[in-house]
Amino acid sequence: MAIAVPLHAYQQDWLLDKSRFKIGMFARQTGKTFTTTLEVVDSCFEAAVMGRRERWVILSRGERQAAEAMNEGVKKHAKAYDLAFEDAEFDWQGGEGSYKALEVTLPGGSKITALPANPDTARGFSANVFLDEFAFHKDSRAIWRALFPVISAGWKLRVTSTPNGKGNKFYELMTGRDDQWSRHEVDIYQAVADGLPRDIEELRSGVGDEDTWAQEYELKWLDEASAWLSYDLITSCEDPGAGDPAGYQGGVCFIGNDIGRRNDLWVAQVFEQIGDVLWDRERVELKRASFAAQDDALDDLMRRYRVGRLCMDQTGMGEKPVEDAQRRYGASRVEGVLFTPPNKLVMATAGKERFEDRTVRIREGDVALRSDLHKLRKVASATGAPRFVAERDDDHADRTWAAFLGIHAAGGGAAEYGYRAMPRVAGGDVTSVRRDRRVEDYEADDRRGQLDRRPLGTSLRAGF
C-alpha cells in the first residue's frame, strides 16, 4: 500500500493495523494524533474509491485539542492526498448542552467531526470513533459507558494516549489481557530507534523531573496508591480557561506564596473566587532571585488583583518576607504560615477537598504543575504521625504548596475591621480611645493609598 505521508516504522505499524479495536500508548510528541488522523483520512479516501461513505468522530480532551487534531491532522492529510474538502464550524446540540464542533466533508460524502469529549458527545454519534489522549479525558469511565453501545454495531474504535496514572479507563484497557484489542506501545527509546529525530539526553535534562520523564516518555504507570492527588483527580479540575491573567473578572483574589531562594522555587499562586470555585489566574515562579526581585513580583500581583488575603510560607527564611509584606499590605491581609506537620496536614486536606469537590480550576495541560501536584505523598513517620514528602525532585512540590496556601487563604473567614465608641466628656472632647489593632492597620493602609476612604465607623473587609 502506498503511503502519501512519510512515516517512521512505529507509525506505519499503527497505520497498517486494521483491527476493529486498537489502542496505543505512545510517548509525548511522537505523532500519535498525527498518525491516527492519517488513518481516518485514508479510510475516507478508500471509501470514496469504492463508492461508499465513511463516518468518523474524533473526541479530544477539549476544544483546543479537537481543533488541533482537525487543523494539524485531518486537513493536512487531506491536502497530502490531494482531496478537496469542505470544512465547517458549528454548535453541536446534545442532550446536556451545546458544544463547538469542527467538521470536514470529503469527496463521496464522507465526514469527519471533531469535538470535545464528554458522555453527551460520546453517545451522540453512530460512527467510527477516535479517542485522542483518552487517559486525560474527564470522566473517562462515564464516556466509555456512553460510547461503547454506540460503536457496538460494527464501528471501529481507535484509542491513543500517554499514561495518566492508574485511575482511569485507559489504564484498564491498555493493561487488559483479552484478545479483542490490538495493543501498541512506543516509548521514546523505541521511537528514536525507529527514526524519530530527538535527542533523548537533551529531552531528559530539559524535563528536569524524573516522575514526568518516567510517565510521559518511558510510559511507566506511576504509583497512585500513595499519591495525595491522583492524576485522574488532577485532570478533572483542569480547564482551558484557567491560568490566563486575561480571564480575570475583577473579583476577590487569594494568593499563596511558597518561599525559596537557592535550591527551591519561589512561587506565587493567584486564585480568583467565582461563586464557590477558585480559578487559577496566574502563577509566578522565580529561582535564585534576590529578595528585592521577589518583593517586586509580589507587589506587581498585589497591584493587578483585588487581593483579599495573602498566605505566605513563614518557615525559615520566610520570617522577614512575611514581616515586610505585612508592613506593605497590612497585617490583616497577610498571614504567615509555619510549615509544621499539623499545618501542612490542614492545608493539604483542604486542598484535596477542593479537588474532590471540583471547586478549583487549574490550567489545562500544565505538565510542571500536574507533576508537582501528583508527586506529593502522605507517609507515616516513625511515631505514626502523618507527614508529606515529595521525592525525586529539586523543588519539593513548591507549586503544590503555593496552591495549597492560596486555597488556605480563601478558606479563612474575611476579617472585619472593628471600631470602638469613643468616650466623651461633657464638652464633647475625646478623652480616651482604645484602638483595635486592625484599625491601626487600616489607617496605615489608608495613608499609603491602598484603601478607599470610607466614613469613620464603616465596617470594611480586608483588601477592599
Side-chain angles (χ1 to χ4, degrees):
M1 173 181 143
I3 298 176
V5 180
L7 300 173
H8 301 299
Y10 66 90
Q11 293 175 304
Q12 292 185 37
D13 290 343
W14 175 256
L15 177 67
L16 297 177
D17 183 351
K18 300 301 181 183
S19 303
R20 182 184 173 195
F21 300 134
K22 186 169 67 172
I23 185 169
M25 183 165 65
F26 297 83
R28 287 194 70 193
Q29 299 176 332
T30 52
K32 54 187 175 295
T33 302
F34 181 85
T35 310
T36 311
T37 51
L38 175 59
E39 180 185 1
V40 170
V41 172
D42 186 73
S43 71
C44 292
F45 175 78
E46 182 180 353
V49 171
M50 298 177 65
R52 59 181 178 80
R53 295 179 179 180
E54 193 71 285
R55 187 76 175 94
W56 279 91
V57 172
I58 301 172
L59 296 179
S60 299
R61 64 183 296 187
E63 290 184 356
R64 179 178 62 82
Q65 290 80 8
E68 187 173 315
M70 182 63 77
N71 296 326
E72 301 300 318
V74 171
K75 292 181 182 180
K76 284 190 174 181
H77 298 320
K79 291 176 182 177
Y81 275 73
D82 199 23
L83 292 173
F85 61 84
E86 296 178 359
D87 60 337
E89 179 179 322
F90 58 94
D91 290 331
W92 183 82
Q93 300 295 328
E96 300 175 8
S98 175
Y99 311 93
K100 181 180 179 181
L102 303 174
E103 190 167 85
V104 162
T105 303
L106 296 165
S110 293
K111 289 187 177 181
I112 305 168
T113 306
L115 68 171
N118 58 56
D120 200 13
T121 56
R123 69 171 62 91
F125 297 89
S126 292
N128 302 303
V129 175
F130 168 29
L131 293 173
D132 186 19
E133 288 288 11
F134 185 47
F136 295 85
H137 289 193
K138 297 177 182 178
D139 301 322
S140 61
R141 288 187 174 83
I143 290 172
W144 187 255
R145 288 194 296 270
L147 171 69
F148 203 80
V150 174
I151 58 96
S152 61
W155 300 103
K156 297 177 182 178
L157 184 57
R158 303 291 178 254
V159 182
T160 66
S161 190
T162 50
N164 187 29
K166 300 180 180 180
N168 51 72
K169 189 64 182 180
F170 178 76
Y171 170 77
E172 294 180 12
L173 294 173
M174 193 65 205
T175 57
R177 300 295 184 182
D178 59 275
D179 296 328
Q180 300 301 315
W181 285 86
S182 174
R183 294 177 172 86
H184 294 241
E185 185 172 332
V186 181
D187 61 19
I188 189 64
Y189 307 107
Q190 181 64 50
V192 170
D194 283 350
L196 183 71
R198 298 287 187 274
D199 185 326
I200 290 178
E201 291 308 314
E202 182 180 62
L203 273 178
R204 188 167 191 163
S205 176
V207 168
D209 181 86
E210 285 302 306
D211 275 356
T212 301
W213 177 258
Q215 175 174 269
E216 304 284 339
Y217 292 94
E218 295 182 331
L219 307 183
K220 294 181 179 177
W221 305 103
L222 298 187
D223 180 21
E224 294 286 85
S226 62
W228 187 242
L229 300 177
S230 70
Y231 273 119
D232 207 34
L233 188 59
I234 295 167
T235 298
S236 70
C237 292
E238 292 185 329
D239 192 281
D244 183 2
Y248 178 45
Q249 299 182 19
V252 182
C253 291
F254 302 93
I255 298 180
N257 182 202
D258 190 56
I259 296 174
R261 175 95 186 259
R262 297 187 182 278
N263 297 319
D264 299 337
L265 291 174
W266 180 97
V267 184
Q269 173 67 61
V270 181
F271 288 112
E272 181 183 10
Q273 181 101 35
I274 304 294
D276 63 345
V277 178
L278 292 177
W279 282 82
D280 171 8
R281 287 302 176 220
E282 185 172 353
R283 186 177 76 247
V284 178
E285 298 179 6
L286 301 174
K287 190 162 188 176
R288 297 188 178 91
S290 66
F291 288 119
Q294 294 176 3
D295 288 345
D296 289 343
L298 197 55
D299 287 343
D300 178 59
L301 294 177
M302 297 295 286
R303 280 193 300 267
R304 291 189 289 112
Y305 296 98
R306 296 179 60 219
V307 180
R309 197 175 183 205
L310 163 65
C311 283
M312 303 174 67
D313 171 16
Q314 192 174 341
T315 313
M317 71 175 65
E319 290 285 355
K320 187 176 188 304
V322 169
E323 182 180 315
D324 292 343
Q326 288 176 335
R327 186 177 62 252
R328 295 200 306 277
Y329 316 129
S332 57
R333 297 174 72 193
V334 180
E335 177 188 348
V337 179
L338 294 173
F339 272 32
T340 63
N343 284 347
K344 292 173 74 173
L345 180 60
V346 168
M347 288 190 292
T349 300
K352 187 173 185 177
E353 288 175 350
R354 280 278 182 178
F355 277 84
E356 291 175 337
D357 295 340
R358 309 298 191 269
T359 55
V360 65
R361 296 290 183 275
I362 58 175
R363 67 189 71 193
E364 185 179 68
D366 188 331
V367 175
L369 179 61
R370 286 173 55 80
S371 175
D372 223 67
L373 290 167
H374 183 265
K375 73 180 58 157
L376 192 67
R377 282 158 169 73
K378 181 182 175 183
V379 299
S381 67
T383 63
R387 63 187 181 90
F388 290 92
V389 297
E391 298 176 322
R392 299 183 303 279
D393 176 67
D394 290 333
D395 54 48
H396 307 293
D398 300 316
R399 301 175 187 90
T400 300
W401 288 115
F404 286 173
L405 281 164
I407 290 172
H408 174 70
E416 295 209 3
Y417 293 94
Y419 295 84
R420 292 180 181 274
M422 296 181 180
R424 297 179 180 273
V425 296
D429 295 330
V430 177
T431 57
S432 65
V433 59
R434 184 177 179 181
R435 291 178 177 267
D436 188 292
R437 175 57 186 258
R438 288 175 293 183
V439 176
E440 295 174 359
D441 294 335
Y442 165 71
E443 291 177 346
D445 285 346
D446 189 44
R447 286 194 297 273
R448 289 191 294 268
Q450 293 177 351
L451 295 176
D452 295 334
R453 290 192 175 276
R454 311 286 176 94
L456 187 62
T458 301
S459 180
L460 298 176
R461 289 190 179 271
F464 294 85

